[in-house]
Amino acid sequence: MIEMPFNSPAHFSAGVAAPEAAGDALWFIFRGDRLLVELGPPSPHPTGDLRVPARPSWARLPLLKNNNSLWFQPARTLYLGVLGGIPCWAAEAPADAPPPPAGQAWEGLRTLFSVLDDAHFALAGRAIQLVDWDRSHRYCGRCGAPTEAKAEERARVCPACRLSAYPRIAPAVMALVRREGEILLGRSPHFPPGMYSALAGFVEPGESLEQCLAREVAEEVGVQISNTRYFASQSWPFPHSMMIAFVCEWSSGEIRPQAGEIEAANWFEVLQLPKLPSKISIARRLIDAVVEEIKSTNVV
Ligand SMILES: [Zn+2]
């Protein structure tokens, strides 16, 4: 199994019912999409991420006893489970919460990648998704009545019509298309300047992953694929995706970028690659693995 940022860490056991004992706990407290952390001074090193201009030299979660030790009234709290024996909680601070205590700040997850402890970083990705889901399902989507948290599983249930709402995960496939020693990379209009990546798209109702891959690649670049091979998957909390990555072989067609979706797409030789996504994403792990594979088989 390939380890990937945001996937559940080892020694974590998810839970819904909070333990009785009130000792130290890890608190993942979000205001909007930013996490509360204790922060060191800015690091002089480049971030390796075109979306992140600078990173702190270190960051860590505040260790708190319980929500009485918060300096604001949380909009919601959710028990997450236990990491290596330590209970973990998520909380949401209201938008008008007063500034955090000295030495603490709200920081975005991309900025905290490789700075925060890896296991804490992964659980922050879980926490932000659950907080967002909990906030978005306060009312029943069918009848509009206020929902209630279920005690025995991660769900909100409507007391009026019994509709249950579970945390939402949107599956998306990613395809890195190979043609001998070259790989097909494209760029979407919202990418940072110069950056290219593997192709990706959301799975539609009624589609298998293989069908989605073939459709997405055909739609985005007009190319037909074969020999699809599973690579790995990654939980992706921006905002609630499951990325499922594959390597495929080109079988036919010339590149025709889809207007509005793909600004540019090209075949790249592995020794002449453009700017790539950061190692936070499965896209980069997928590209690196295939580039290594091509180099090791001496196709280049
Ligand atoms: Zn209802």
Side-chain angles (χ1 to χ4, degrees):
M1 195 162 60
I2 302 170
E3 285 196 16
M4 207 73 72
F6 292 125
N7 291 354
S8 281
H11 315 299
F12 176 70
S13 169
V16 179
E20 294 287 325
D24 282 341
L26 289 167
W27 279 80
F28 299 83
I29 304 167
F30 285 91
R31 197 187 67 178
D33 59 0
R34 293 162 82 89
L35 178 67
L36 182 72
V37 284
E38 297 175 5
L39 278 183
S43 163
H45 302 295
T47 66
D49 186 338
L50 295 168
R51 298 178 197 269
V52 177
R55 286 204 164 96
S57 48
W58 58 265
R60 63 175 173 243
L61 287 173
L63 196 63
L64 301 168
K65 290 275 181 229
N66 52 49
N67 55 5
N68 293 331
S69 48
L70 300 178
W71 75 97
F72 58 89
Q73 182 62 40
R76 54 189 31 80
T77 59
L78 288 101
Y79 178 67
L80 299 176
V82 179
L83 177 69
I86 305 176
C88 300
W89 290 83
E92 181 179 36
D96 60 356
Q104 299 184 8
W106 304 106
E107 194 52 270
L109 289 186
R110 284 183 186 275
T111 301
L112 293 172
F113 171 59
S114 75
V115 181
L116 198 63
D117 171 87
D118 286 345
H120 297 174
F121 183 78
L123 291 178
R126 176 184 288 250
I128 194 174
Q129 294 184 69
L130 291 176
V131 165
D132 179 65
W133 162 76
D134 192 76
R135 186 201 309 118
S136 310
H137 291 79
R138 283 177 293 166
Y139 299 96
C140 176
R142 185 159 61 197
C143 78
T147 58
E148 295 167 354
K150 240 174 159 172
E152 65 277 15
E153 61 177 343
R154 187 75 66 192
R156 295 191 68 86
V157 66
C158 173
C161 78
R162 307 310 300 168
L163 179 69
S164 290
Y166 295 90
R168 192 163 42 145
I169 298 168
V173 296
M174 176 171 288
L176 184 56
V177 185
R178 262 190 79 165
R179 188 175 68 180
E180 300 190 349
E182 294 177 317
I183 55 175
L184 199 170
L185 301 174
R187 56 172 280 109
S188 115
H190 61 78
F191 279 5
M195 192 185 99
Y196 282 72
S197 187
L199 306 173
F202 289 107
V203 181
E204 293 182 352
E207 239 178 8
S208 70
L209 299 180
E210 295 83 350
Q211 290 169 331
C212 179
L213 275 172
R215 176 183 57 77
E216 281 289 344
V217 173
E219 281 177 5
E220 292 191 349
V221 294
V223 158
Q224 308 301 311
I225 54 170
S226 62
N227 294 336
T228 296
R229 182 154 54 89
Y230 176 70
F231 173 68
S233 65
Q234 181 187 31
S235 171
W236 188 243
F238 304 113
H240 46 72
S241 293
M242 160 54 61
M243 304 300 304
I244 309 145
F246 296 84
V247 185
C248 347
E249 299 284 339
W250 170 86
S251 67
S252 66
E254 294 302 316
I255 294 176
R256 273 185 298 101
Q258 182 183 18
E261 284 286 315
I262 301 293
E263 195 174 81
N266 281 301
W267 293 108
F268 289 92
E269 292 179 20
V270 296
L271 298 177
Q272 290 180 314
L273 292 173
K275 291 177 189 167
L276 297 173
S278 134
K279 288 185 195 299
I280 193 177
S281 73
I282 194 171
R284 179 58 177 274
R285 313 287 172 125
L286 174 67
I287 294 167
D288 284 354
V290 172
V291 164
E292 278 313 304
E293 190 178 282
I294 291 173
K295 284 180 176 169
S296 69
T297 49
N298 293 320
V299 182
V300 286

